[in-house]
């Protein structure tokens, strides 16, 4: 079968199932055929066994399983990360959080210690450990997510200390120069309205930020002063409508609060410096 014939067949299947991601048809073929996307239009003869493999994957995608979970991997900041339904799929927007944290670490001209809270696949912690000389600790309350994060650290040769912990619970007495977190921040009532790919496949533990979506910001900020060194910084990813609320939460113990927008123009990252007592 030719590329265009098979692509049309897959898109028809997707449309029947309410999936508006024609590019996924290409990514499935890239994965199975092992050719680059730009070469796909030149593929003239896809074997019957490859057509079967491609259609099997397309059927899973038609059931709204995210492509990253089907392939078991995704890319973040130029590195491959293993993912499965026990961890959130790292998002492009989160690269902005990482970029801001890296800028700050590089400015400090010293070995900086970093705590990543809610590490999931380990994308944030592993990227920071790979791109800087920071000493990185990462916590998550999900044992299964930490198993994936550990595999990802190994595969990327990154030195990260992983700790199973409900926020700061198992890192008592430890202080860091930076706290970085992309915590669960979706309002509980909104979760069921999200795309099926997210609501039915990504772990609820990674999404649910409580009734107003702010539970984790409250909890992380409340105890941050016990886990930051003087002049310590905190970096959060936030929902598009949360910058004012998170700023308010930060104002008690933090100063120099800055907000950064994402590629879509929404406020996406907030960072601030611990106020001197
Ligand atoms: C939005 S996901 C972020 C995952 C990853 N850092 C990323 O950016 O792709 C939030 C993560 O917080 C973890 N989490 C939820 N509650 C937690 C808690 N009480 N303590 C530590 N981690 C928690 C979840 O398991 C999940 O991995």
């Amino acid at each position: 079968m030719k590329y265009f014939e098979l692509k049309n067949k897959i898109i028809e299947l997707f449309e029947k199932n309410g999936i508006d991601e024609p590019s996924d048809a290409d990514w499935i073929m890239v994965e199975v055929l092992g050719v680059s996307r730009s070469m796909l239009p030149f593929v003239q003869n896809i074997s019957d066994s490859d057509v079967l493999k491609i259609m099997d994957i397309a059927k899973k995608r038609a059931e709204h399983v995210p492509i990253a979970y089907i392939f078991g991997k995704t890319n973040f900041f130029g590195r491959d990360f293993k993912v499965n339904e026990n961890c959130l799929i790292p998002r492009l927007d989160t690269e902005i959080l990482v970029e801001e944290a890296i800028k700050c670490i590089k400015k400090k001209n010293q070995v900086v210690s970093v705590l990543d809270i809610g590490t999931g696949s380990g994308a944030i912690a592993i990227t920071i450990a790979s791109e800087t000389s920071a000493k990185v600790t990462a916590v998550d309350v999900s044992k299964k997510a930490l198993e994936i994060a550990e595999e990802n650290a190994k595969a990327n040769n990154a030195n990260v200390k992983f700790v199973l912990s409900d926020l700061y619970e198992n890192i008592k007495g430890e202080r860091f120069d930076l706290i970085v977190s992309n915590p669960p921040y979706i309002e509980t009532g909104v979760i069921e309205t999200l795309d099926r790919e997210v609501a039915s496949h990504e772990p609820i533990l990674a999404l649910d930020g409580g009734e107003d979506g702010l539970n984790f910001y409250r909890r992380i900020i409340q105890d941050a002063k016990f886990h930051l060194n003087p002049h310590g910084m905190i970096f959060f990813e936030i929902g598009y409508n949360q910058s004012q609320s998170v700023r308010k939460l930060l104002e008690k113990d933090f100063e120099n609060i800055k907000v950064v927008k994402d590629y879509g123009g929404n406020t996406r990252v907030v960072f601030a410096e611990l106020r001197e007592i």
Side-chain angles (χ1 to χ4, degrees):
M1 195 182 270
K2 287 183 183 163
Y3 159 71
F4 284 110
E5 279 174 77
L6 188 52
K7 179 162 179 169
N8 287 339
K9 199 170 158 187
I10 297 172
I11 289 175
E12 208 177 291
L13 174 72
F14 282 0
E15 281 173 355
K16 258 192 219 150
N17 289 279
I19 304 227
D20 183 23
E21 303 266 8
S23 60
D24 280 359
D26 278 355
W27 295 125
I28 295 169
M29 286 192 263
V30 164
E31 184 71 14
V32 173
L33 301 175
V35 297
S36 67
R37 193 177 182 196
S38 59
M39 291 308 288
L40 283 175
F42 303 104
V43 174
Q44 291 293 335
N45 199 354
I46 304 173
S47 70
D48 289 350
S49 73
D50 280 345
V51 169
L52 275 179
K53 277 187 212 158
I54 289 166
M55 286 313 293
D56 268 355
I57 297 175
K59 280 176 200 153
K60 266 197 209 150
R61 182 67 192 93
E63 288 163 13
H64 292 258
V65 182
I67 202 88
Y69 286 151
I70 298 174
F71 294 154
K73 64 178 182 191
T74 193
N75 191 277
F76 183 80
F77 223 93
R79 291 182 180 80
D80 278 338
F81 283 85
K82 180 177 171 175
V83 290
N84 65 24
E85 297 200 7
N86 295 311
C87 70
L88 189 94
I89 301 164
R91 304 294 204 269
L92 186 60
D93 284 337
T94 306
E95 293 192 358
I96 298 168
L97 172 70
V98 170
E99 269 169 16
E100 292 301 327
I102 288 174
K103 268 193 242 166
C104 169
I105 293 167
K106 290 194 169 163
K107 258 193 228 155
K108 286 200 183 244
N109 266 339
Q110 64 184 64
V111 178
V112 169
S113 54
V114 177
L115 172 65
D116 172 23
I117 301 181
T119 198
S121 65
I124 296 173
I126 291 165
T127 306
I128 292 176
S130 306
E131 298 282 329
T132 73
S133 55
K135 219 171 130 253
V136 184
T137 300
V139 298
D140 205 293
V141 78
S142 160
K143 193 167 177 277
K144 288 189 169 165
L146 279 184
E147 283 167 11
I148 299 167
E150 274 171 357
E151 274 187 52
N152 282 324
K154 226 181 184 178
N156 283 293
N157 270 322
N159 187 12
V160 176
K161 178 178 159 197
F162 292 103
V163 182
L164 182 65
S165 180
D166 176 356
L167 304 187
Y168 306 107
E169 196 175 349
N170 294 334
I171 50 155
K172 284 199 181 91
E174 285 188 58
R175 287 187 184 262
F176 302 85
D177 300 307
L178 255 76
I179 291 174
V180 180
S181 185
N182 172 21
Y185 59 68
I186 313 288
E187 293 164 40
T188 308
V190 168
I191 292 173
E192 62 179 26
T193 69
L194 300 177
D195 288 346
R196 262 173 68 192
E197 279 76 356
V198 181
S200 307
H201 294 279
E202 301 214 70
I204 187 78
L205 199 57
L207 302 173
D208 192 350
E211 201 179 332
D212 64 358
L214 300 171
N215 276 4
F216 286 92
Y217 300 110
R218 263 187 220 102
R219 291 179 60 200
I220 292 171
I221 290 169
Q222 192 179 341
D223 285 342
K225 57 181 175 291
F226 305 119
H227 293 280
L228 279 172
N229 289 322
H231 302 291
M233 304 277 299
I234 196 160
F235 288 75
F236 282 126
E237 177 170 324
I238 54 166
Y240 72 96
N241 57 356
Q242 292 175 324
S243 68
Q244 285 311 320
S245 319
V246 175
R247 178 186 277 275
K248 276 222 169 72
L249 292 171
L250 284 165
E251 274 168 356
K252 180 168 167 270
D253 293 331
F254 288 85
E255 58 190 4
N256 299 327
I257 302 171
K258 305 248 163 38
V259 175
V260 182
K261 289 189 176 168
D262 62 21
Y263 307 114
N266 295 312
T267 52
R268 183 60 62 194
V269 170
V270 174
F271 63 94
E273 185 178 352
L274 186 64
R275 184 174 286 127
E276 279 184 73
I277 319 155

